[in-house]
């Protein structure tokens, strides 16, 4: 008689999944407020928002991934930061619309579940959720041995937030003569890694420290995607602040044009800020054309605030007082 085949024999360890869920319960619980009515492990996350102080609440949602930045994490065997990357990226995407984050859900898929790796990834989700004031109310852990190699995994996340309808920020107030004020990124954030890896790893190992750098290339590439929620909270109620652009895939122009009204365009002064040395290294080492750099990377600018000229001084002062390093990097002109 043939030997019976179990689910574990096919590469799926149900007990490992249950062990992971048990191990993360307490840290996930720390992201919950009174609005969360469910515990992790149920069929759905229950969230009871309090909208009594809002006139016309509008839910705002976004879903994203971390991309091939994960390959750097695999090479470094460092898994506690990519979860933070994902939460912060998603939070930024709804914050630029004026929304406050409510809750986050994650999807973690892997070839063979390593509970220690899973714990570290999810601890990153929980840390960033606490920092951004949103609840981690659920997720999915999928073990798929025929899709991923044993040590590989992929991540996706969904954020849901809320904004009062009259406070939605769309960019429709942007007009000719407005200024572009850029805020520094913390490295590549979560975009451009396919190009960066192709260039950098053709010459360097992930543990190498290039000349002029104070940490190895792997750590440099794993810098955490910055959350701009505190800055946006500070600025969104200020007079003359007309729009926000989160600089992700597509670069500065590709993202900023998403909020600019028809007939206008962003005129960027590309030499108005100092590009971080990592971008310079990529461009020089790979002989990457400037157009490709501008399309693939944030080039050191993670968030752009579009403000009226009359509001620029007050906005710059508020940002500097908050510890930011803003730079006027362009204007809005006729298309």
């Amino acid at each position: 008689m043939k030997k019976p085949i179990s689910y574990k024999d096919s590469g799926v360890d149900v007990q490992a999944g249950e062990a992971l869920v048990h191990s993360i319960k307490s840290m996930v619980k720390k992201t919950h407020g009174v609005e969360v009515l469910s515990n992790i492990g149920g069929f759905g996350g229950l969230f009871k928002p309090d909208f009594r102080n809002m006139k016309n609440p509008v839910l705002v949602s976004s879903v994203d991934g971390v991309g091939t930045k994960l390959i750097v994490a695999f090479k470094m065997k460092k898994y506690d930061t990519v979860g933070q990357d994902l939460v912060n990226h998603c939070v930024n995407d709804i914050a630029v619309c004026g929304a406050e984050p409510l809750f986050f859900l994650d999807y973690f898929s892997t070839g063979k579940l390593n509970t220690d790796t899973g714990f570290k990834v999810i601890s990153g989700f929980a840390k960033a959720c606490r920092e951004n004031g949103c609840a981690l109310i659920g997720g999915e852990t999928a073990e798929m041995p025929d899709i991923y190699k044993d040590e590989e995994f992929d991540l996706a996340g969904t954020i849901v937030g809320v904004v009062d309808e009259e406070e939605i920020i769309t960019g429709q107030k942007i007009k000719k003569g407005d200024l572009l004020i850029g805020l520094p990124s913390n490295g590549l954030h979560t975009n451009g890694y396919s190009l960066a890896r192709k260039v950098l790893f053709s010459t360097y190992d992930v543990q190498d420290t290039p000349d002029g750098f104070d940490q190895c290339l792997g750590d440099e590439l794993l810098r955490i995607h910055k959350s701009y929620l505190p800055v946006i909270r500070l600025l969104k109620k200020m007079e003359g602040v007309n729009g926000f652009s989160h600089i992700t895939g597509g670069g500065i122009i590709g993202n900023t044009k998403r909020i600019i009204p028809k007939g206008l365009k962003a005129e960027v002064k590309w030499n108005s800020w100092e590009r971080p040395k990592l971008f310079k290294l990529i461009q020089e080492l790979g002989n990457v054309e400037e157009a490709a750099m501008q399309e693939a990377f944030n080039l050191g600018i993670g968030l752009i605030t579009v403000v009226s000229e009359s509001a620029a001084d007050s906005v710059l002062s508020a940002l500097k007082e908050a510890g930011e390093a803003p730079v006027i990097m362009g204007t809005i002109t006729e298309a």
Side-chain angles (χ1 to χ4, degrees):
M1 294 180 64
K2 289 184 178 181
K3 177 185 175 182
I5 298 177
S6 68
Y7 205 4
K8 189 173 183 178
D9 292 331
S10 67
V12 179
D13 190 339
V14 175
Q15 290 183 330
E18 292 175 348
L20 176 60
V21 171
H22 179 75
S23 71
I24 63 175
K25 277 189 174 182
S26 61
M27 69 178 176
V28 171
K29 185 72 174 177
K30 291 178 182 177
T31 72
H32 294 178
V34 295
E35 303 89 354
V36 180
L37 306 183
S38 56
N39 291 316
I40 189 170
F43 286 104
L46 304 179
F47 191 91
K48 184 180 181 180
D50 183 357
F51 294 152
R52 285 176 295 181
N53 293 325
M54 305 182 77
K55 294 178 181 178
N56 295 297
V58 175
L59 295 179
V60 186
S61 59
S62 184
V63 61
D64 222 308
V66 182
T68 63
K69 188 172 187 175
L70 289 173
I71 294 176
V72 183
F74 301 157
K75 289 177 177 290
M76 290 290 288
K77 299 188 183 302
K78 184 176 181 180
Y79 308 117
D80 60 336
T81 60
V82 288
Q84 296 175 67
D85 288 320
L86 184 53
V87 173
N88 290 345
H89 186 145
C90 289
V91 166
N92 289 341
D93 277 349
I94 65 167
V96 296
C97 302
E100 287 288 328
L102 295 174
F103 57 85
F104 182 83
L105 302 112
D106 71 85
Y107 176 73
F108 173 73
S109 55
T110 185
K112 181 177 177 58
L113 182 59
N114 180 310
T115 54
D116 182 59
T117 298
F119 182 88
K120 289 175 181 176
V121 171
I122 297 170
S123 71
F125 291 144
K127 183 177 189 297
C129 282
R130 291 194 305 270
E131 291 173 348
N132 286 287
C134 62
L136 177 57
I137 66 167
E140 164 69 359
T141 300
E143 196 170 18
M144 299 190 288
D146 296 325
I147 301 293
Y148 304 98
K149 295 178 182 177
D150 283 358
E151 299 299 318
E152 293 181 351
F153 59 84
D154 196 12
L155 303 177
T158 298
I159 190 85
V160 175
V162 64
V163 59
D164 218 328
E165 187 171 10
E166 63 182 23
E167 296 177 2
I168 295 174
I169 302 169
T170 63
Q172 63 182 1
K173 294 180 180 179
I174 293 173
K175 59 188 181 303
K176 179 182 176 181
D178 282 359
L179 300 180
L180 307 177
I181 297 178
L183 292 178
S185 66
N186 187 29
L188 271 65
H189 281 179
T190 49
N191 296 99
Y193 277 83
S194 293
L195 176 56
R197 289 185 302 101
K198 183 176 181 63
V199 170
L200 296 171
F201 294 153
S202 65
T203 299
Y204 296 103
D205 182 78
V206 71
Q207 295 288 352
D208 290 341
T209 301
D211 290 343
F213 287 75
D214 57 8
Q215 60 181 351
C216 74
L217 197 55
D219 286 334
E220 191 70 32
L221 290 168
L222 288 179
R223 286 179 180 270
I224 296 169
H225 192 135
K226 181 178 178 179
S227 170
Y228 292 98
L229 181 61
V231 170
I232 295 172
R233 282 173 174 162
L234 172 69
L235 297 182
K236 66 184 180 181
K237 294 186 183 297
M238 292 183 67
E239 191 70 30
V241 174
N242 296 329
F244 296 103
S245 173
H246 181 207
I247 310 305
T248 56
I252 289 170
I253 295 295
N255 284 284
T256 305
K257 70 181 183 182
R258 297 161 70 176
I259 64 168
I260 297 175
K262 188 176 181 180
L264 301 174
K265 68 175 182 178
E267 192 71 42
V268 177
K269 298 177 182 177
W270 296 98
N271 295 320
S272 59
W273 72 96
E274 180 72 18
R275 289 186 187 179
K277 56 194 172 209
L278 180 59
F279 298 102
K280 295 178 182 179
L281 178 63
I282 293 168
Q283 186 165 23
E284 293 169 3
L285 192 63
N287 192 27
V288 183
E289 293 183 352
E290 177 64 17
M293 293 293 296
Q294 292 178 14
E295 184 178 47
F297 301 112
N298 64 54
L299 298 178
I301 299 294
L303 182 79
I304 291 175
T305 305
V306 185
V307 306
S308 62
E309 192 171 5
S310 61
D313 286 344
S314 59
V315 169
L316 289 169
S317 295
L319 288 169
K320 290 174 182 177
E321 200 170 310
E324 294 289 340
V327 57
I328 297 177
M329 53 178 291
T331 58
I332 300 295
T333 64
E334 291 183 357

